[in-house]
Amino acid sequence: VRELSSLYRAFLAGQDDPLPPLAIQYPDYAAWQRQWLSGERLQTQADYWRETLAGAPARLALPTDRPRPAEQSFAGANVPVVIDAELTRGLKRLSRQHGTTLFMTVLTAWAAVLSRLSGQDDLVIGAPSANRGRREIEDLIGFFVNTLALRLDLSGEPSVAELLERTRRTALAAQEHQDLPFEQVVEIVKPPRALDHTPLFQVGLAWENDAVGSFDLPGLSVEAAGEGLDQVKFDLELNLCEHGEVITGTLRYASALFDEATIARQRGYLLALLRAMVADAGQPVGRIDILPAEERTYLLEDLNRTQAPYPSDQCIHELFEQQVQKASDAVAVVHEDEELSYGELN
């Protein structure tokens, strides 16, 4: 955007190309990467990912609104996400206190929500990395992005502060080993493969550090057209960026699996968890209440209203015989397995 604006203004004024010559071009980088990522460097990176992802769960068992199709569908939709200015300030303060970036802090909350939904305390989230670690390629047009598989450990009832530290260590270690292309990581780890889900992870978090600038084209007014993509790569994709004093973005989802209302609730869980993290970093993450009052009432009370009238045509004798049979069956189970406790029998 910046270069196109600069070129347009120059050519409109009849000037020559104002851009400095490129130090290197994309094929130069590709050749350098192939040469650099070899031998001991390649082995070190491969060993890290092999050890880090060994035994990782193949799938994140999220509850879905519909059964997973036999072959993955990439049709998608999204709901907007806005973290207001007050909460954004709180997250920045929390991040400074614990030595994390905003990305790490939000990743911590997102992992906690996913853990709560899936019942898993070991999960993997994919995160794209710009992978532009050298000055020569910062302004070079080309595809450098690599995807990192971040394995997060939520076991042992960690506090907010402890989970932030775990996430920080995980993210930094992954970034230190970000040069190995994701496709090679998959080949090295050899996760179970299936057509109905992506390998290693099915949920992602993308963080844009630099929001797209606006065109500066004299005499022209330019704006984005269209509604954006209606496809997704994963089951869930949280895409965020700083925009002024707030954090904004979208929570994109596979529409073959989820309804919009479900994703809107998940967005609410994330915001509730972020607020709780800012309020008290010493509390256990697993005990943070993320359910709004009306949803809690629905789950705990409305769904448990199972009273039903007793059928008047069933006599007491039949009911008694049924209860005797159940007791007899229970006794038979105890004889087969005498290790059953009284509590289990009861």
Side-chain angles (χ1 to χ4, degrees):
V1 169
R2 184 178 64 251
E3 291 182 357
L4 180 58
S5 298
S6 179
L7 288 167
Y8 186 86
R9 290 195 305 271
F11 295 157
L12 192 65
Q15 301 171 354
D16 293 333
D17 180 355
L19 302 180
L22 293 173
I24 63 171
Q25 297 193 37
Y26 193 78
D28 301 322
Y29 168 80
W32 169 83
Q33 184 193 44
R34 187 175 295 110
Q35 180 181 9
W36 183 85
L37 193 59
S38 60
E40 185 177 348
R41 289 194 189 94
L42 177 61
Q43 190 63 46
T44 299
Q45 299 250 342
D47 289 345
Y48 168 80
W49 290 110
R50 184 182 295 108
E51 295 171 6
T52 298
L53 297 175
R59 278 178 51 179
L60 183 62
L62 292 174
T64 59
D65 294 305
R66 285 170 291 281
R68 183 177 293 272
E71 186 170 340
Q72 184 176 3
S73 169
F74 297 96
N78 68 82
V79 297
V81 177
V82 178
I83 301 176
D84 62 46
E86 181 181 358
L87 181 53
T88 297
R89 287 192 296 270
L91 292 173
K92 289 181 177 180
R93 183 172 59 253
L94 179 68
S95 299
R96 287 193 301 268
Q97 292 170 348
H98 295 274
T100 59
T101 63
L102 270 177
F103 164 75
M104 295 174 187
T105 301
V106 175
L107 175 62
T108 300
W110 186 221
V113 169
L114 295 173
S115 175
R116 193 78 64 89
L117 291 173
S118 65
Q120 298 173 222
D121 57 17
D122 181 9
L123 50 89
V124 183
I125 298 176
S129 169
N131 200 27
R132 292 176 180 261
R134 300 182 65 90
R135 175 66 187 88
E136 299 89 339
I137 64 175
E138 282 187 6
D139 295 326
L140 183 62
I141 293 177
F143 188 80
F144 297 89
V145 174
N146 191 22
T147 304
L148 307 180
L150 306 177
R151 186 177 185 180
L152 297 159
D153 174 18
L154 292 92
S155 63
E157 296 190 2
S159 66
V160 170
E162 183 179 354
L163 189 55
L164 283 169
E165 176 58 25
R166 291 185 190 180
T167 304
R168 178 180 177 274
R169 291 197 303 265
T170 296
L172 289 177
Q175 289 165 2
E176 289 176 3
H177 300 86
Q178 66 178 311
D179 298 295
L180 191 66
F182 176 72
E183 293 78 7
Q184 293 187 35
V185 173
V186 174
E187 293 176 3
I188 290 169
V189 177
K190 293 181 174 58
R193 303 298 293 270
L195 294 177
D196 64 351
H197 67 275
T198 50
L200 293 182
F201 57 84
Q202 296 82 47
V203 175
L205 170 58
W207 190 276
E208 283 286 343
N209 288 321
D210 299 312
V212 176
S214 58
F215 285 103
D216 181 12
L217 308 177
L220 295 180
S221 176
V222 182
E223 62 182 20
E227 298 296 328
L229 296 176
D230 58 357
Q231 291 191 321
V232 291
K233 303 179 185 69
F234 311 109
D235 295 353
L236 293 174
E237 302 173 5
L238 181 58
N239 301 279
L240 298 173
C241 70
E242 282 192 75
H243 189 74
E245 296 184 350
V246 302
I247 298 171
T248 64
T250 59
L251 179 51
R252 309 186 68 206
Y253 60 95
S255 50
L257 299 176
F258 302 102
D259 292 332
E260 181 179 354
T262 299
I263 303 304
R265 286 197 300 272
Q266 293 182 7
R267 174 186 58 190
Y269 302 155
L270 175 63
L271 294 175
L273 200 75
L274 288 170
R275 294 189 190 97
M277 289 171 60
V278 169
D280 180 8
Q283 63 183 317
V285 176
R287 298 183 185 178
I288 294 176
D289 188 2
I290 62 175
L291 290 178
E294 61 274 13
E295 186 173 351
R296 175 173 292 279
T297 299
Y298 172 72
L299 292 174
L300 298 183
E301 298 180 17
D302 295 350
L303 292 183
N304 283 308
R305 291 197 177 101
T306 57
Q307 300 96 329
Y310 183 78
S312 59
D313 59 341
Q314 186 172 8
C315 69
I316 296 299
H317 179 71
E318 292 176 358
L319 180 61
F320 177 75
E321 287 186 341
Q322 291 174 5
Q323 298 303 320
V324 169
Q325 184 60 48
K326 288 181 181 179
S328 176
D329 292 342
V331 171
V333 170
V334 173
H335 282 299
E336 293 174 4
D337 186 356
E338 295 182 355
E339 293 182 0
L340 279 175
S341 69
Y342 174 78
E344 290 169 321
L345 176 59
N346 195 40

